[in-house]
Amino acid sequence: APKTIGFIGLGQMGEPMCAFICKGDTPVLCYDRVPDRTPKGGTAKDSLAEVVAGADTVFLSLPDGKIVNAVVDDIAALPNVAGKVIIDMSTIGPAAAKQAAATIEGAGMTYVDAPVSGGRQGALKAAITIIWSGPKTEMERHQAILDLFSKNTFHVGETPGQGQAVKLLNNFLSATAMAASSEAVLFGLAHGVEMKTILDVVKVSTGNNTAIEDKFPNRVLPGTYDAGFFAELLNKDVRLYNEFVKEAGTSNLMGERVAEVWNLVEDSLPPQSDFTRVFEVLEKRNRS
Ligand code: NAD
């Protein structure tokens, strides 16, 4: 097992995931380009270089593939990095993951494509799912650390990009559920039925899904819109899904339609708006 852990990117997911690692026995070195995000028990470092120099395994939780690959290029250019393990938990799509893997492996390190699911709520409860594609031996070696912040770890393949494929298809389903449920609830409201009643019925009926079960009762109905996932990041995932479905050549009657909804949402809201606000966007569109 690694003697020292590094953690880069302490945002809505990274901060709570890292906080649980910090509660374990292995020292954790932390860095985010925004200062003061280091959780209790972690050691804040002023640079990426200091984290990488001191750690043998480094976790990344960064917004997108461009940023991950910029960080990965910086890591690969540092001295004495051979033998280190880089575990990327960001959602970046298969091509960006393969690019990052090539850079990391070129510098004598191991790259693991390990996106996560479960949202900020899952991260706050140490209950996320890790979708691991990379050496199984490394998963086993890190299992005790992964168990500190996740409930399920799946080894989906040995090749970087496979984890991203599973993550993207999951988020396409989640994005579709949230968009379709918003329209369906608006239809019920237009008939004078209360939102809570609609949710109570569907939750125990065949239309049930994660939006009906969780996002609507907990984030939309109370008007808090605080699921902890930015609309532009979900839109990035839908965009990546469509891009790689095209490449795979599999059926895609739904993808482009779902993308239209999330493009509209991103265009209608200020940056860093919660994705559950899709309901508000569609509601306003209804009235206009
Ligand atoms: P976020 O924007 O809240 O966090 C990203 C963090 O990275 C920020 O703290 C930012 O300051 C930092 N950062 C950006 N560029 C950096 C750099 N060059 N060096 C160091 N730090 C840098 O995003 P998030 O919601 O935590 O998501 C992180 C990743 O996980 C994304 O790829 C996202 O798609 C994915 N994801 C998010 C959720 C969710 O529900 N929020 C769930 C699963 C997966």
Side-chain angles (χ1 to χ4, degrees):
K3 289 194 182 67
T4 305
I5 304 277
F7 206 106
I8 300 182
L10 305 159
Q12 304 220 68
M13 292 300 283
E15 192 278 330
M17 293 192 292
C18 183
F20 284 107
I21 303 178
C22 290
K23 286 183 181 154
D25 298 327
T26 314
V28 187
L29 311 178
C30 304
Y31 174 71
D32 191 291
R33 84 178 160 192
V34 178
D36 304 328
R37 291 195 166 170
T38 296
K40 208 175 134 226
T43 304
K45 291 287 180 188
D46 293 328
S47 70
L48 180 69
E50 286 171 79
V51 168
V52 176
D56 15 42
T57 291
V58 180
F59 288 95
L60 310 180
S61 178
L62 297 164
D64 59 34
K66 213 173 140 191
I67 294 173
V68 165
N69 271 294
V71 165
V72 155
D73 288 349
D74 288 348
I75 293 175
L78 293 169
N80 307 319
V81 290
K84 293 181 192 286
V85 179
I86 309 297
I87 302 176
D88 180 24
M89 300 191 289
S90 325
T91 308
I92 64 176
K98 285 176 196 164
Q99 185 189 333
T103 309
I104 290 299
E105 282 157 19
M109 294 176 277
T110 301
Y111 181 84
V112 180
D113 168 26
V116 298
S117 186
R120 180 167 166 81
Q121 292 315 304
L124 287 167
K125 289 185 288 204
I128 56 149
T129 297
I130 301 178
I131 309 167
W132 185 285
S133 68
K136 192 167 191 189
T137 48
E138 289 297 346
M139 185 171 119
E140 286 159 1
R141 200 166 72 84
H142 287 86
Q143 195 64 60
I145 285 157
L146 303 179
D147 289 345
L148 293 171
F149 65 97
S150 81
K151 206 157 74 179
N152 296 293
T153 314
F154 290 98
H155 183 259
V156 299
E158 289 282 317
T159 314
Q162 292 175 312
Q164 292 296 324
V166 176
K167 172 62 183 169
L168 291 183
L169 73 84
N170 175 77
N171 277 29
F172 165 65
L173 290 172
S174 172
T176 303
M178 189 62 208
S181 299
S182 295
E183 292 198 337
V185 167
L186 286 167
F187 169 72
L189 294 176
H191 284 266
V193 185
E194 287 195 18
M195 189 190 293
K196 187 174 181 313
T197 307
I198 299 167
L199 300 177
D200 287 346
V201 172
V202 179
K203 200 169 73 184
V204 293
S205 303
T206 53
N208 191 28
N209 61 60
T210 51
I212 294 292
E213 205 170 72
D214 173 26
K215 276 78 180 194
F216 268 88
N218 298 323
R219 314 290 159 194
V220 177
L221 186 61
T224 50
Y225 298 103
D226 57 350
F229 190 26
F230 299 140
E232 63 268 33
L233 290 183
L234 182 59
N235 197 21
K236 165 207 63 169
D237 297 349
V238 172
R239 204 162 45 235
L240 285 168
Y241 172 79
N242 279 316
E243 188 182 327
F244 289 97
V245 166
K246 262 189 213 102
E247 195 186 285
T250 51
S251 175
N252 196 23
L253 295 172
M254 309 269 303
E256 295 296 339
R257 221 52 216 261
V258 174
E260 277 176 39
V261 177
W262 292 102
N263 284 332
L264 172 74
V265 172
E266 188 175 347
D267 290 347
S268 310
L269 297 172
Q272 308 213 325
S273 296
D274 200 77
F275 82 103
T276 53
R277 288 194 187 274
V278 57
F279 177 76
E280 276 189 333
V281 170
L282 295 177
E283 187 186 33
K284 279 191 195 118
R285 192 182 151 82
N286 239 10
R287 285 198 230 101
S288 61

